[in-house]
Amino acid sequence: MKQKVIIALFFWMFFLLSACTNTPPKELEAVKPEEQVPHVGKEGPIRIGFAMDSFLEERWLRDREMFKESVEALGAEVEIVAAYGNDALQISQAETLIQSGIDLLVIVPHNSEATAAIVHKAHLEGIKVIAYDRLVKNADLDLYVSFDNERVGELQAEAITALVPKGNYVFIGGAITDNNAHLLKKGVFNVLRPYIERGDITIVYDQWTKDWTPVNAKANMEEALRTTNMQIDAVIVANDATAGGVIQALAAVGLAGQVPVTGQDADLAGVQRIVAGTQTMTVYKPLHMLSQEIAKLAVAMAKGEDVITERKVNNGKIEVPSVLLTPTAVDKDNVESTVIADGFHSLEDVYRATSKE
């Protein structure tokens, strides 16, 4: 009898335990299979990292703001850093952006060679890289978007040779570390070469400008004036900021406005010098076009969409898919129909300096 009671108790406890084990929790009972939310991957908007070289020049401040506005208009977010000419810092900043979980990296390289390391690090994390206006050399770069910088140099040389077809020329380039400076110089000498070969033009001074700074460009011009005994007929300068330094050096010896000087970027100060007569021309590159194009392509690539380009640029390692926009020469005659008509600068701002004289 006792054995039968023990057996009965055993089966009764087994039944209770089985019932408890098979009863689903209340929260699972309330959710039917078809109502469960599927995993959708990363939440939130697309995040673009923007690693810039510097904000020291007017044009890069414009790029920063225009690119930010363009990205945000597409519903994405952008995180912006600047290294101010420090290669190690630019690499470190890019690494931080990469590790923060950005979807794509856009970079304005200070040093076109050193930043190849950034492209490699980004690719290890599955992040694509777009070079903004300046090419990254010797890397598996995903996309390069800029203006046609070789054409920029050609426009500068065409404008100056039209004014001074014969004489002593000074060439003051940009930073040797910037691939754009090399492309610009190539464009300049595409035009000058026949003049040089005929003996019509002599290059009496040719120098790069470290970090694109006006103070270094001024020092270069002072050296050119000294070594040539001021026998200079024209100066081709890489951009408007460096042209400012060059014109300061010319002004110190009474030659400002007497010697034609080129520029690039259509900075306000450069355009003001054009209407004042101390700078001959600049090259206008509508930055809103550049920032909008890169923002559109960056967001598309971050979403995994394919981007097809008609042009490619060799960066020493691969033929990089490229988008090259068209620049425009600006002088005293067309300043109002270009930079002012586009709203790049206002009429009042451009003529403010001359109206005070």
Side-chain angles (χ1 to χ4, degrees):
M1 181 68 181
K2 190 182 285 187
Q3 188 175 6
K4 288 181 180 181
V5 171
I6 292 171
I7 292 171
L9 285 170
F10 174 82
F11 278 107
W12 180 71
M13 290 176 65
F14 178 80
F15 172 78
L16 286 177
L17 286 170
S18 297
C20 290
T21 304
N22 292 329
T23 301
K26 225 174 233 189
E27 60 268 26
L28 290 183
E29 285 184 316
V31 182
K32 297 178 182 178
E34 63 267 23
E35 294 175 339
Q36 293 181 17
V37 180
H39 177 67
V40 293
K42 180 182 173 181
E43 296 180 357
I46 294 292
R47 290 176 59 234
I48 307 295
F50 192 20
M52 302 187 70
D53 173 17
S54 173
F55 300 145
L56 293 179
E57 295 178 21
E58 176 191 321
R59 74 143 294 185
W60 293 114
L61 290 170
R62 285 176 173 266
D63 281 274
R64 178 186 66 182
E65 296 308 313
M66 290 181 180
F67 183 69
K68 184 175 185 293
E69 290 173 5
S70 298
V71 168
E72 291 176 347
L74 296 170
E77 295 178 352
V78 61
E79 294 185 31
I80 304 172
V81 294
Y84 294 96
N86 186 319
D87 294 337
L89 179 58
Q90 185 163 52
I91 292 171
S92 174
Q93 288 176 336
E95 288 176 339
T96 300
L97 287 172
I98 291 165
Q99 295 304 317
S100 75
I102 58 170
D103 298 289
L104 184 135
L105 178 65
V106 178
I107 183 168
V108 181
H110 169 256
N111 186 316
S112 59
E113 299 280 353
T115 42
I118 293 174
V119 178
H120 177 68
K121 291 174 186 293
H123 284 177
L124 289 176
E125 300 297 328
I127 297 170
K128 291 185 177 181
V129 183
I130 298 176
Y132 186 118
D133 197 50
R134 296 176 181 173
L135 186 64
V136 177
K137 300 282 286 183
N138 298 313
D140 293 314
L141 189 64
D142 298 287
L143 185 66
Y144 168 52
V145 187
S146 182
F147 286 88
D148 188 336
N149 290 288
E150 193 169 325
R151 182 59 186 150
V152 170
E154 290 173 348
L155 289 172
Q156 290 181 330
E158 287 168 2
I160 291 296
T161 53
L163 292 173
V164 186
K166 295 183 179 182
N168 292 336
Y169 270 55
V170 166
F171 177 78
I172 295 180
I176 194 171
T177 55
D178 183 351
N179 189 66
N180 281 4
H182 293 268
L183 293 172
L184 183 142
K185 185 173 184 178
K186 182 181 178 184
V188 165
F189 281 87
N190 286 346
V191 175
L192 294 187
R193 192 168 294 108
Y195 292 86
I196 295 169
E197 291 173 351
R198 288 196 303 267
D200 292 338
I201 288 175
T202 301
I203 306 298
V204 295
Y205 185 85
D206 180 349
Q207 187 58 266
W208 302 104
T209 302
K210 185 179 179 182
D211 294 332
W212 292 92
T213 63
V215 66
N216 290 332
K218 181 183 178 184
N220 284 340
M221 192 66 223
E222 289 169 344
E223 183 180 28
L225 289 164
R226 184 171 60 254
T227 58
T228 63
N229 196 29
M230 297 196 300
Q231 300 304 302
I232 295 169
D233 299 297
V235 187
I236 297 179
V237 190
N239 72 352
D240 291 338
T242 49
V246 165
I247 291 168
Q248 285 180 14
L250 289 171
V253 295
L255 291 177
Q258 307 300 312
V259 177
V261 176
T262 71
Q264 172 195 183
D265 294 333
D267 284 354
L268 179 58
V271 177
Q272 288 175 334
R273 289 193 295 267
I274 288 172
V275 299
T278 56
Q279 184 171 321
T280 307
M281 61 85 69
T282 187
V283 180
Y284 173 44
K285 303 183 296 185
L287 299 182
H288 65 279
M289 289 174 53
L290 180 65
S291 60
Q292 288 172 5
E293 184 70 13
I294 298 181
K296 179 183 70 175
L297 294 169
V299 172
M301 289 173 65
K303 291 179 178 178
E305 299 175 13
D306 292 329
V307 171
I308 308 299
T309 67
E310 295 181 359
R311 301 183 67 171
K312 293 182 184 294
V313 173
N314 190 290
N315 74 344
K317 185 174 184 180
I318 64 168
E319 295 292 326
V320 182
S322 303
V323 177
L324 302 180
L325 306 175
T326 304
T328 302
V330 173
D331 58 24
K332 203 168 186 176
D333 294 330
N334 71 344
V335 64
E336 293 187 18
S337 63
T338 53
V339 295
I340 293 175
D342 279 2
F344 194 70
H345 297 303
S346 71
L347 184 73
E348 293 76 17
D349 285 344
V350 168
Y351 287 95
R352 181 183 298 140
T354 55
S355 65
K356 291 179 181 178
E357 295 177 358

